[in-house]
Amino acid sequence: MDIFRTRIAPGKTVGLLGRLTELLRSTRDRKSSDHASAGGVDDLEKFFDLSSDLLCIGGIDGFCKRVNPAFEKALGYTSQEMLKRPFLDLVHPADRARTIEALDDLARGLPVAQFESRLVCQDGSARWIEWNTVPARDSLYAAGRDVTERRVAQQMIEASHAELRALVEQQAALRRVATLIAHGTSPSDVCASVAAELTRILGNRSTGLYYFSPDGMSMLVASNTEPVGGSAHGAPHPVDGESIAARVFRSGHCARIDSAQNSEVGVPIVVDGNLWGSAVVGSTSPDPLPPDTEARVGDFTDLLATAIANAQAHTQLTASRARIVAAADDARHRLERDLHDGAQQRLVSLGLALRSAEASADTEPAALKEQISDIVAGLNDVSADLREISRGIYPAIRSKGGLGPALKALARRSAIPVDLDLHLDPRVPESTEVAAYYVAAEALTNAAKHARASGVHLQARTTGTHLELSVRDDGSGGADPAKGSGLTGIRDRVEALGGQLEIISRAGSGTALLADIPMDAP
């Protein structure tokens, strides 16, 4: 605590020291009367003996001339022990420099008020004493009050405030990370945020987040300062030795290293019950990291594990949906090929055989020729039906000429006029083309069957990384995906490829299907 210095004007008194000065002055003034002098000395003795404060008369030589019994009660030293040793010997080493400065002020005739320092007790403990001291001729008159309990209470309050501030800062940091996770931020960005937040709340400690691969390698994925342990970002290295990350890898639990050179804490990152990696916090300070470091870091690794689990689940779901769509397309393609190469070809062969039989029949049996002719016509109809079925199962025309010709074929077969606006790259991934084809086919079918539209505008273009498809009709609108499986199916197909499908259909204002499909779809 700072030293507070106060000059006292002549004739003024302050507190206990004032009373003491007045008694001394009264004693000097009454030296002419032996009875009065004895009474003044008596009052002074009582004042010294009965005061609960530490009262002391010291000399400029640094020794005490007189101390009251309160010293023994507070510090454990007898009066004789106090008088035999220099006063500075009792002062705590950490407070001696400040005490010497205060004594220098007193030597210059300046009183010192509310000066706090620690005195070492006989049992080795220390007590905080608040001093008020005034110089008078060749003596110092001091009154001290034990303020140790007040100091302890103040320190407890300050520690409580510090803990509260740390808790508030930690909760704010956790909320920021949780907000990123709620917004679907990528795990790599969440890792970077966690590293930065840990650095902030732990007092600029070095922080690193490590991923443990199944083959026993470790890779630094995020850090706030220089790579922890000398690891480069993204460079795998074996998880061995006695590094903090290796200890976490082997045990699956928190680990700590406290040495004279540094202090490190490692906390596991557990995703769905499996060890994913570790968060490592390090310090080059000679003091070890606080004992609650593991718990504080653990709050962030729990959030990070949630982000990683969410991302993995989303990736797995997307891959699963893509596999389902691909499997369905393969099944359709196989069925279309089987129909074309099997039943359809056989029907064509039968038709040719009947044509041959019809041509070789005699001209007289007209009834037979008419019957054969009817069979041929029926076979042609069945073949046409099979072609239509095959075309609905899988867009064969797409595989022959690409998306552009397939959309043109859809437009030609449409029951209502279609205005085409196509700007497509010659090479578009098959899964992207198939999804776009089915969106267009569903939109044209709905426009003709349900919307009673008089025309449709179909636009398709590639932008380098995406294929954008827009199908707008001027029909009755009011389409509801929840009431039919067609719109739901094409939305699932588009989203399975990582794309988006927007359906705009207000009653009386027509319907628009807007698809945005990535070109690098799985």
Side-chain angles (χ1 to χ4, degrees), residues 26-65:
S26 173
T27 301
R28 290 196 302 269
D29 293 344
R30 289 183 290 179
K31 283 183 179 179
S32 58
S33 170
D34 292 340
H35 178 74
S37 178
V41 172
D42 243 6
D43 289 343
L44 184 59
E45 293 292 338
K46 291 179 181 178
F47 181 79
F48 257 73
D49 293 341
L50 297 177
S51 175
S52 59
D53 289 334
L54 284 66
L55 300 181
C56 172
I57 300 175
I60 59 175
D61 59 356
F63 285 83
C64 295
K65 297 178 180 179

Side-chain angles (χ1 to χ4, degrees), residues 63-84:
F63 285 83
C64 295
K65 297 178 180 179
R66 183 82 180 270
V67 295
N68 69 338
F71 271 87
E72 183 172 358
K73 184 178 180 180
L75 305 177
Y77 301 106
T78 65
S79 297
Q80 290 76 16
E81 290 174 325
M82 289 291 301
L83 299 177
K84 287 180 181 179

